Structure formats: structure tokens, C-alpha cells
Amino acid sequence: MERATPTQMTNPASTLSLARRQELYILLNEFHCDYAQTLDRGDVEAWVHFFTDDAVYRVIARDNAEAGLPLGLMLCDGKGMLKDRAYAIQHTEMYAPRYVHHQVSLVRLLDEADGLITAEASYVVHETLVDRPTHLLQVGRYKDVFVQHGDGLLLKSRDCIFDSVVVPNCVVYPV
């Protein structure tokens, strides 16, 4: 009798074929690279195209997420709200010039069922105001639900769950 590995005991995705897990892992990593690079170059209006029309995007503190409380820093319910957010950042809000740098790691496929792919990943966002040293803006975990769209993935929901209850200044850019 074969014994289950630790991954097989804790991860429903381990029931998928190795070929499918490898395919999805590549798609997830390509998605995260494209997403991070889009935000890092400040193309907030292109950020909207990573989501489905009915997508939900939330930025929420870890203690609220773990307690099941819905209150967060940001909630966009649907692509229309995402477009409004992007337009406001790009064309109407006034703030100091800055650069952001996203690092995404520990990408993990959790499950694929009924056309939905659930996954998570760790993220770190550094921010540099042009006249100040770089600082850590946010550390957290993405909890995602994707749908496959052609050769890539789109987000149906993304929860950006950040660890600290203290947020420096305001979160201007999407995480």
C-alpha cells in the first residue's frame, strides 16, 4: 500500500494529472509575472484586463479575513468598478510620483473544479517615492479564483490579504 505524500494529504489539486498540474502551474506563473509587470510599469488601465467582467477584487487585512469579516481597504465588485478605480488613479487623483515593485512567490495551485481554478501566492510590494528611500508597502497573500481564457487565465476573484493592520499612508495603486 502506497502512503500519501504531505502534498497529497493537504492539497486537492494533487488529484489532477501531473500534466494538468504542470500546465496550470505554468499558466499561474505567467499570469503573476504579467500582472506584476503591468502594475510595476504603472499601467493601471491595463490592470483591468486581468479580470473577468463579474470579478471581485478586495484588499483586506489578515485579521479581518481570518475572522470572516468583510471590511477591507478596497472592494471592486465587477469590471465597471475596476475601470472606475483605474481611471481615477490614472487621470484624476493627485499624489507624489512613485514606483512600485511587486514580488510574487510560493505560487500554489489548490484545486480545479467546475471550470474554476483556485490558487494562492505570497506577495510583497515595495514602494519608492522619488525623493525618499524605498520602503515596504505591503506583505500578504493572494487568494485567487481563475477561469481559463484561451491560452491564459483571468481572475474571477482576488483577495489581497495583507498581514499588518497598519497601512502606510494610503494604498493608491492596486496590489
Side-chain angles (χ1 to χ4, degrees):
M1 181 171 164
E2 288 186 36
R3 298 177 74 184
T5 67
T7 298
Q8 291 169 324
M9 291 186 287
T10 60
N11 189 344
S14 64
T15 60
L16 300 173
S17 72
L18 177 60
R20 183 61 179 157
R21 288 194 321 256
Q22 289 173 331
E23 177 185 0
L24 289 173
Y25 186 74
I26 289 168
L27 292 175
L28 289 168
N29 279 288
E30 287 177 346
F31 179 91
H32 286 300
C33 287
D34 292 343
Y35 183 97
Q37 288 178 351
T38 298
L39 290 177
D40 289 353
R41 70 174 182 264
D43 193 355
V44 180
E45 290 177 314
W47 164 73
V48 173
H49 301 296
F50 288 93
F51 295 88
T52 62
D53 289 343
D54 62 345
V56 175
Y57 172 80
R58 295 189 317 158
V59 180
I60 184 170
R62 182 177 179 164
D63 60 341
N64 277 359
E66 289 177 351
L69 301 173
L71 186 60
L73 289 177
M74 189 183 312
L75 169 65
C76 295
D77 190 359
K79 206 167 197 172
M81 289 181 78
L82 292 163
K83 286 179 181 176
D84 285 348
R85 176 96 188 144
Y87 185 86
I89 292 168
Q90 205 77 42
H91 300 288
T92 63
E93 292 188 3
M94 301 289 288
Y95 47 84
R98 66 194 66 211
Y99 300 105
V100 293
H101 184 82
H102 291 70
Q103 293 178 317
V104 180
S105 63
L106 300 174
V107 176
R108 187 169 195 197
L109 170 65
L110 297 177
D111 199 9
E112 180 183 35
D114 302 323
L116 302 176
I117 300 155
T118 55
E120 61 183 20
S122 296
Y123 70 85
V124 173
V125 181
H126 295 93
E127 180 182 59
T128 306
L129 299 174
V130 294
D131 60 346
R132 298 193 183 151
T134 299
H135 67 273
L136 192 59
L137 181 66
Q138 201 172 94
V139 174
R141 186 147 203 83
Y142 292 132
K143 294 262 187 186
D144 297 324
V145 178
F146 293 94
V147 294
Q148 193 155 3
H149 181 75
D151 291 337
L153 299 174
L154 291 176
L155 281 166
K156 185 163 181 58
S157 74
R158 166 160 275 187
D159 284 346
C160 308
I161 302 169
F162 58 92
D163 288 344
S164 175
V165 294
V166 178
V167 179
N169 294 327
C170 65
V171 176
V172 174
Y173 287 105
V175 178

